[in-house]
Amino acid sequence: MSLSANAFESLELKNVGRSFGGRDALVDLNLTIRAGEFIALLGPSGCGKSTALNCLAGLLPLTHGEILIDGKRVDVLPSEKRDFGMVFQNYALFPHLSVEKNIAFGLQMRGLPKAEITRRVGEGLALVKLEEHAKKLPGQLSGGQQQRVAIARAVVLEPRLVLMDEPLSNLDAKLRLEMRTEIRRLHQSLGLTTIYVTHDQEEALSLADRLVVLRDGRVQQIGTPEELHDHPANWHVADFMGYRNLIDLTVESVEGSQARVTGNGMDLLAKLVQPASVGDNIRVAIRPSDLLVVRPGESTTGRNTLQAQVNVVEYQGREFAVGVTATGGQNLFVHAEEAPVPGATVTLAVDPARALVYRSNLDEVSTEQRELAEVRG
Ligand code: ATP
């Protein structure tokens, strides 16, 4: 299949914004995408991911900003003139047309010669491994197969950009994993520039070259999977990236990029990701896989330690996910190599470099804490 992905060098979003009735759904999205890149737009429900995708697709006009391809405005073009392919959550196949006719539909609309259509449909079917199902109706296929038809239908048009909105969210867990690999394989073999919307951080981390994390319509961080996984820019991103332990503490002392943080019966050395001063209320983020139950005789030199009581133990393949309560009452999620006994007291250890200190501004604390603060005057 020939590639029109190389038909442009860069796609630029400049201060792209969209509001509904004066309410911002997307604010100042700035992003430059290189040809062939796989970008994931990631964030919780309502953060503006679909709005961003629909603005790109031309299904929603922008309230602010511009979208440019190699310096030329495309946001002024109607959807069908942008030459983008789209794959949606609900497949949107024609139920009365066979698989091959669904794939051929867009090519026929473009008035391509019959022989060309037959060739491209054949290639599309082979690409998503559905040759045997060419004559079936969508209703005779599984959800994963239907989504493969939707992908083939988009790809045979050789679009310069593929937009995918939660394409796997209607599939069961096993199919999601299979289709994830399938999408990665297709991207690697075709090199189509892709923008992929999801609320699933694992999916985004495994598929994308770069991720854009959104919250309340605003970009929180743009980076590679490794950057986001290891160095979240703020506690919201950390929360989203699986740092399940978010602990509110106070800064006791600061030395270089390390701080001593205390409270709630805890006393930890941690890494400053955002600047903080002595006396500041901060939020420490720790992944469960970095907060480990210490085995008998294991050295904890150089690591923070704390005592906790085991509440619940869950088997997760090679290791155990454990819910504990620390001495001061803080509930934590930790990992253990051997199953601890519920009710037992265990020692936990975390490397100071893997306990990340973030600002916790008043507007970001929970309503309950804010109400308490107001009551206390
Ligand atoms: P989800 O994962 O639930 O689809 P999302 O991150 O894609 O969420 P959007 O659908 O982009 O979020 O919505 C962003 C915000 O804009 C939300 O507050 C939503 O209520 C609002 N919004 C979206 N579409 C409209 C619309 N047509 N009219 C009014 N408000 C809208």
Side-chain angles (χ1 to χ4, degrees), residues 18-21 23-26 43-52 54 60 89 165-166 197-199 214 217:
R18 169 73 206 192
S19 52
F20 295 102
R23 208 176 155 268
D24 289 332
L26 186 69
S45 180
C47 72
K49 313 179 287 288
S50 300
T51 301
N54 290 335
L60 269 181
Q89 180 176 342
D165 194 352
E166 305 252 9
V197 159
T198 179
H199 63 270
L214 290 166

Side-chain angles (χ1 to χ4, degrees), residues 249-252 259-263 266-270 282 284 357:
L249 299 171
T250 307
V251 177
E252 273 301 311
R260 204 177 131 216
V261 291
T262 60
M266 291 187 215
D267 187 340
L268 305 172
L269 283 178
I282 51 82
V284 176
V357 178

Side-chain angles (χ1 to χ4, degrees), residues 10 43 52 87-88 93 103-104 123 129 151 156 179 181 198 227 251 280 294 318 363 376:
S10 73
V87 180
F88 298 103
L93 300 177
I103 298 174
E123 282 180 3
K129 301 182 185 144
I151 293 170
V156 291
M179 282 302 292
T181 311
T198 179
E227 281 163 358
V251 177
D280 284 356
V294 176
R318 278 200 188 159
D363 64 340
R376 287 181 188 140

Side-chain angles (χ1 to χ4, degrees), residues 174-188:
K174 186 167 173 286
L175 259 183
R176 279 180 83 109
L177 280 180
E178 274 175 35
M179 282 302 292
R180 208 201 267 181
T181 311
E182 192 70 13
I183 289 176
R184 189 74 194 147
R185 182 183 68 78
L186 278 177
H187 181 256
Q188 280 171 355

Side-chain angles (χ1 to χ4, degrees), residues 7 15 29 35 56 64 93 116 139 165 182 199 203-204 210-211 225 244 264 276 312 327 351-352 375:
N15 301 325
L29 174 57
L56 269 159
H64 309 280
L93 300 177
E116 169 82 4
D165 194 352
E182 192 70 13
H199 63 270
E203 202 168 285
R210 280 193 302 155
L211 286 76
R244 271 185 93 185
N264 228 353
V312 58
T327 316
D351 185 334
V375 168

